[in-house]
Amino acid sequence: MAMTGNGTSIVFGTSGWTGSIISISGTSQSREALEDTHLGITGEKTYVPDDLIEPGEFDIEFYWDQSAGTFPPITAVAETITLSFKLKTGESTQATLAGSGFATESEGPTTTNSELMTGTMTIQWDGKTGPTYTAGS
Amino acid sequence: MDIQLEPHPARHLVDGELVPLITDQLMVRVDGIQVGYCGAAAGGYLQFTVPVDQATQDAVSVHVDQQLGGRQDVVVILDVEAALEVIDDDDDNGEFTNDDENSGPE
């Protein structure tokens, strides 16, 4: 059964950064289509998939906590990042999207009256560990 | 309260078998339910992925520190609901604001 994104969390294993997340975009992965058309082909061109996949990146938006001891790790080395999805009824282990990655962009809050401060961050999966989705159980 | 540390739940296929993907973090269970992660060695971070009360947080922290032989800092997520209450209070504090400039006595 489909669920909303409510309850999803993200943790950074080495920098220790985490936050009150407003949204996490999906990870977009891609690979090239290599044309292997030759003179013996008639009709449509033909293609084969590249061996290598772009591991992808994703964006997160979060409430900015000026009391937090750690901040978005734009200067950090690649580290383990785990997105954990809310437990479904009957599950005891959360579904995860996990791998290693690093921040490529970080934007601090715009400060104004009567609005909560928010920040954004772009995370690049580095492709060296994962990213791999593991179902909840 | 039963607190258990287990391998990180992420798995990937190696030679047809699902094996742990993440080795530098552990999963934390309380009474059988996953509540977060901690570093696999002392000096890491204990991070909760579901809301837990302070007593549970403290008990898990002590357990993790004992099991790993050193301190793991606990990362606390901003309490957004409390922040929203502060904003609501500010809105009702009776101070004169720009919005009030055109609302003088008739």
Side-chain angles (χ1 to χ4, degrees), chain B residues 1-74:
Chain B
M1 186 183 303
D2 179 36
I3 302 168
Q4 299 289 333
L5 305 184
E6 299 179 9
H8 190 289
R11 298 286 185 273
H12 66 151
L13 271 175
V14 176
D15 297 331
E17 282 191 39
L18 282 173
V19 301
L21 174 73
I22 305 296
T23 55
D24 63 348
Q25 284 198 292
L26 300 173
M27 171 175 60
V28 180
R29 287 189 194 277
V30 172
D31 295 333
I33 304 295
Q34 181 185 349
V35 297
Y37 303 95
C38 65
Y45 293 93
L46 168 60
Q47 296 165 297
F48 292 95
T49 54
V50 298
V52 295
D53 58 39
Q54 188 64 49
T56 301
Q57 194 178 113
D58 293 344
V60 171
S61 179
V62 168
H63 182 85
V64 167
D65 291 354
Q66 288 174 345
Q67 291 294 308
L68 300 179
R71 179 78 185 134
Q72 294 248 335
D73 288 335
V74 179

Side-chain angles (χ1 to χ4, degrees), chain A residues 29-86:
Chain A
Q29 296 183 306
S30 63
R31 63 178 174 176
E32 295 294 323
L34 307 176
E35 184 177 345
D36 65 346
T37 310
H38 56 81
L39 296 179
I41 296 290
T42 59
E44 288 81 15
K45 291 180 179 179
T46 57
Y47 293 85
V48 294
D50 194 354
D51 296 322
L52 303 178
I53 299 170
E54 281 289 341
E57 63 178 21
F58 64 96
D59 299 317
I60 62 177
E61 182 182 14
F62 53 91
Y63 289 110
W64 187 273
D65 180 5
Q66 70 269 31
S67 298
T70 58
F71 284 88
I74 188 68
T75 59
V77 297
E79 59 186 309
T80 296
I81 300 169
T82 303
L83 279 71
S84 301
F85 298 86
K86 188 176 183 179

Side-chain angles (χ1 to χ4, degrees), chain B residues 71-83:
Chain B
R71 179 78 185 134
Q72 294 248 335
D73 288 335
V74 179
V75 179
V76 178
I77 297 176
L78 170 67
D79 185 343
V80 178
E81 289 185 5

Side-chain angles (χ1 to χ4, degrees), chain A residues 14-33:
Chain A
T14 303
S15 67
W17 188 85
T18 188
S20 292
I21 306 299
I22 301 166
S23 66
I24 304 172
S25 74
T27 292
S28 177
Q29 296 183 306
S30 63
R31 63 178 174 176
E32 295 294 323

Side-chain angles (χ1 to χ4, degrees), chain A residues 99-119:
Chain A
S100 55
F102 52 89
T104 56
E105 189 173 332
S106 176
E107 182 177 345
T110 297
T111 58
T112 183
N113 283 331
S114 301
E115 285 185 17
L116 292 178
M117 293 188 288
T118 62

